[in-house]
Amino acid sequence: MTQTHKSSLTPLIAANWKMHGDMSWIDKVTELDALLPKNEREHVDLLLCPPFTMVSTMHVLGSPLSIYIGAQNCHADVSGAHTGEVSAEMLADAGASYVIIGHSERRAAGETNADVRAKAEAAKRAGLTAIVCVGESLAQREVGEAIATVLAQIEASVPDFVDVIAYEPIWAIGTGKVPTMDDIADMHAAIRSAVGPNVRILYGGSVKPANAQDILAVANVNGALIGGASLEMDSLAAIARSAPRK
Ligand code: PEP
C-alpha cells in the first residue's frame, strides 16, 4: 500500500461510546478537560465519538478545549433516499472531524469490505479523518490466521490515503480479554509493513487504565480505541495519561 498522505503519529486516545449516552453526557467534555491539565495531555490527541445526536453540541464544547469529536459510522453517499442514514458531509457539517468506519459490530451486521472502503472514500470527500477498524475472530486466531486475515481486510477495505487504522481483535472487544503484548507487537508490525510509516495504528479491545500503559508502550501502537472504559472520564483520562511520550 502506498502512502500519499502524511500524518502525525501522536498517540490518539479515541473513545467509542457506541449507543450509550444522552444530552446530559455532553458535560463529559468539560469533565475530561478538567481531569487533564495541559501538561498531562500534550503528548496525545483526544477524541470522543458519541452517538450522532450529541456530535454537534459536543463539538461546540470540545473545539475550544482541543478535544476532537467524531462519529461512529457514515453513509457512503452525499445525500439521497437512505432513510435513517447520515452522510459524511452531514457529520462534517455538525462539527465532527473523525469517523469510525467498519467497526466489527457493524461488519457483523452485514457491512462488507467494499462498504467500508466506500465509507472511507466518503469520509475523505467530506474532509473527515476515517478510523478504519480491522480485526480477526477467535477462530481465525486459533488456527494461526490472525495476521493474514487482518492484512487481507486492510487490502480489501482500507484505501491508500487512510491515516488511522484500528486493530481490534473481535474476541477482545468488550470481553476483558486482551492479546499478549507479543501478539499485539507482531500484529502491529505486520500492519506497519503493509501501510508504511505515517499511518496511526490504534489498538482496541478491552483497553483499561490497568493495561493501557503496557499496550500503549508496544512498538507501532499509536493510540487506542476504547469502548467500555471510555464511558467514565476518569478512566479515559487515566488511559490518556499512561500513553508514552513517544
Ligand atoms: C470497541 O468497541 O471499539 C472497543 C474496543 O470496546 P471495549 O474497549 O469495550 O473492548
Side-chain angles (χ1 to χ4, degrees):
M1 182 180 280
T2 313
Q3 282 308 304
T4 55
H5 188 108
K6 301 275 181 233
S7 71
S8 153
L9 294 184
T10 301
L12 175 63
I13 303 300
N16 174 14
W17 284 1
K18 309 193 184 191
M19 199 171 71
H20 296 291
D22 57 34
M23 290 306 278
S24 72
W25 284 38
I26 64 170
D27 292 340
K28 289 180 187 271
V29 179
T30 45
E31 187 186 343
L32 182 63
D33 177 63
L35 285 164
L36 287 174
K38 191 168 178 288
N39 65 330
E40 292 183 26
R41 73 159 85 162
E42 51 199 5
H43 62 299
V44 296
D45 286 336
L46 296 172
L47 168 65
L48 300 177
C49 298
F52 288 137
T53 50
M54 293 142 78
V55 165
S56 177
T57 313
M58 284 178 54
H59 163 66
V60 171
L61 280 177
S63 181
L65 305 176
S66 298
I67 296 175
Y68 295 105
I69 305 301
Q72 303 168 21
N73 182 35
C74 67
H75 195 276
D77 291 351
V78 178
S79 61
H82 304 297
T83 301
E85 296 285 348
V86 176
S87 72
E89 282 74 9
M90 291 168 181
L91 294 175
D93 186 45
S97 39
Y98 286 77
V99 60
I100 298 168
I101 293 174
H103 191 281
S104 65
E105 288 156 13
R106 299 204 57 83
R107 289 181 184 261
E111 206 163 274
T112 65
N113 282 329
D115 295 331
V116 174
R117 177 175 283 273
K119 291 180 180 199
E121 305 270 1
K124 181 178 169 62
R125 184 186 67 217
L128 301 178
T129 299
I131 300 175
V132 182
C133 301
V134 294
E136 83 284 0
S137 67
L138 187 57
Q140 288 162 331
R141 175 157 289 276
E142 283 176 347
V143 296
E145 290 178 0
I147 289 178
T149 298
V150 166
L151 294 184
Q153 266 180 340
I154 290 173
E155 184 65 30
S157 65
V158 183
D160 286 353
F161 56 76
V162 163
D163 295 322
V164 190
I165 291 175
Y167 165 58
E168 298 206 304
I170 298 167
W171 52 273
I173 294 176
T175 60
K177 295 180 188 157
V178 175
T180 66
M181 297 306 117
D182 284 349
D183 284 343
I184 294 176
D186 289 349
M187 181 63 79
H188 280 244
I191 297 173
R192 175 66 66 217
S193 300
V195 302
N198 300 314
V199 174
R200 284 203 269 200
I201 308 171
L202 312 186
Y203 169 80
S206 294
V207 176
K208 314 275 179 220
N211 60 23
Q213 187 169 10
D214 289 344
I215 292 171
L216 291 167
V218 172
N220 295 305
V221 173
N222 310 117
L225 181 57
I226 307 139
S230 76
L231 302 179
E232 298 297 336
M233 293 306 97
D234 52 358
S235 69
L236 186 61
I239 291 167
R241 266 185 227 107
S242 67
R245 275 74 178 159
K246 280 183 180 171

